[in-house]
Amino acid sequence: MKAPAPETDLLEEADASLLDLVDHVLNKGVVVTGDVMLGLAGVDLVYLRLSAVLCAADRMLPPPDPKKR
Amino acid sequence: MAPARLVPAGAGRWLVAADAPLRRYAADVVNGRLSDLGWVGERAMEHERVVEHFTRRGTVIPMKLFTLFTGDEKAVADVRRRRGLAGLLSSLAGREEWGVRVAVDPGRLRRQIRERASRPTPGLTAGTGFLVQRQQEQRAVRGSLDDARQRADEVFAALASLAADARRRDPAGVEGATLLLDGAFLVERTRADAFTDEVRALARRHAPEGVSVVLTGPWPPYNFLTPSR
């Protein structure tokens, strides 16, 4: 699994990392079409969910401390 | 899942394959579990572990998760039929993918704008003053969003100049927070430090404006398997 670089500004939740990974391995890696066809049409939802999780993480940041101004 | 094994595919190439028992991986079984994120997530991690293992030892073209063939011969035949593999392999050699997301939270922006807000306009009643202030705020948020979008474009351009190839995906908009850039960058392994240093520098530069820059990776080159548009 990917850990984001520690110095970057935003936290990435475990959930976001997992969704990110699933998005990569399911939605990309498109080179070969196998014999067995799967109904992967629903996997776009993974990306929507990923966006939702990322944005939720954003909102969880505490508001800036007014005393610092 | 059975251990991974190497299947010769000609021209010095190999398929990394593992036997998948039908009772767990028949199409209807997998289809029935695709909405189970816990299960799919475990399979995704297994897949990723194998891809990463071989990425450290050579150039890998990762297949999509759940790429299933009825036998080795079918899989090899499919790979041999493909054109452009040599070009693809040479475009990926010695390179890895990094993901960079730029997001802005309009709520956070609004709070910042409110903190920096102008004093009440003199000569207005309290109620009118409040409305005027709200209007100014909305305008400031819109302006800040435009500014943030421009920052995202600058981040993409700055990082693309350090990369061998770069892709940008239109992010899905989610109310309340906005993903402005979802970028993938194919970077020479030898330039990885320069690239990640630049991402951190950009993150520090834009954070005070409510714009976050998040790095993930290194990834196998999932986003660089198809020709750029």
Side-chain angles (χ1 to χ4, degrees):
Chain A
M1 288 297 293
K2 310 290 154 188
E7 291 100 313
T8 48
D9 179 45
L10 257 194
L11 65 163
E12 276 221 343
E13 298 293 301
D15 249 357
S17 306
L18 181 66
L19 286 167
D20 211 358
L21 174 64
V22 171
D23 182 49
H24 271 86
V25 302
L26 266 186
N27 289 340
K28 296 151 192 171
V30 218
V31 171
V32 171
T33 311
D35 290 345
V36 182
M37 295 311 289
L38 297 173
L40 294 177
V43 296
D44 277 352
L45 290 176
V46 170
Y47 187 54
L48 283 179
R49 209 159 146 185
L50 173 63
S51 307
V53 169
L54 289 175
C55 295
D58 210 318
R59 277 197 291 270
M60 283 186 317
L61 286 180
D65 183 355
K67 274 173 282 187
K68 285 195 184 141
R69 296 198 71 249
Chain B
M1 178 72 77
R5 56 198 165 74
L6 292 170
V7 180
R13 295 169 198 153
W14 302 79
L15 275 176
V16 181
D19 295 328
L22 271 182
R23 79 192 141 74
R24 290 182 66 200
Y25 292 99
D28 54 340
V29 182
V30 173
N31 277 328
R33 302 197 75 173
L34 280 179
S35 56
D36 176 354
L37 191 63
W39 184 79
V40 173
E42 279 173 36
R43 303 292 81 73
M45 280 192 267
E46 290 170 353
H47 180 91
E48 177 73 3
R49 261 200 295 278
V50 174
V51 173
E52 286 189 11
H53 175 87
F54 286 96
T55 298
R56 286 191 291 272
R57 287 157 180 83
T59 306
V60 173
I61 299 175
M63 288 184 192
K64 198 182 275 233
L65 183 63
F66 303 126
T67 302
L68 298 161
F69 291 94
T70 47
D72 286 2
E73 312 71 36
K74 285 295 233 6
V76 169
D78 189 288
V79 170
R80 282 184 195 262
R81 253 201 317 275
R82 307 228 143 226
R83 286 152 193 272
L85 275 192
L88 181 58
L89 282 167
S90 70
S91 74
L92 302 178
R95 295 168 174 170
E96 56 199 359
E97 178 178 323
W98 293 88
V100 176
R101 292 202 177 89
V102 177
V104 63
D105 181 345
R108 197 173 156 198
L109 269 188
R110 191 171 283 121
R111 280 195 298 276
Q112 278 173 349
I113 288 165
R114 212 165 276 171
E115 278 174 21
R116 297 169 192 169
S118 47
R119 289 125 203 67
T121 315
L124 294 179
T125 66
T128 318
F130 174 77
L131 288 177
V132 167
Q133 198 185 330
R134 284 305 295 266
Q135 248 173 13
Q136 284 170 345
E137 241 172 66
Q138 297 289 350
R139 217 171 299 140
V141 166
R142 270 199 297 278
S144 300
L145 278 176
D146 289 342
D147 172 69
R149 271 185 211 107
Q150 201 175 333
R151 287 170 185 273
D153 292 343
E154 284 165 16
V155 167
F156 183 78
L159 295 176
S161 74
L162 296 176
D165 198 355
R167 304 281 165 95
R168 196 173 170 165
R169 171 152 76 162
D170 282 338
V174 170
E175 201 187 335
T178 317
L179 197 55
L180 301 175
L181 167 67
D182 191 357
F185 301 86
L186 187 66
V187 180
E188 299 284 348
R189 221 166 257 135
T190 52
R191 300 187 74 183
D193 285 347
F195 183 84
T196 55
D197 285 351
E198 178 65 11
V199 174
R200 287 182 194 115
L202 290 164
R204 279 192 297 271
R205 186 184 318 157
H206 297 300
E209 303 306 320
V211 174
S212 67
V213 179
V214 177
L215 173 70
T216 65
W219 294 93
Y222 288 108
N223 278 291
F224 297 93
L225 303 176
T226 52
S228 52
R229 282 154 296 165

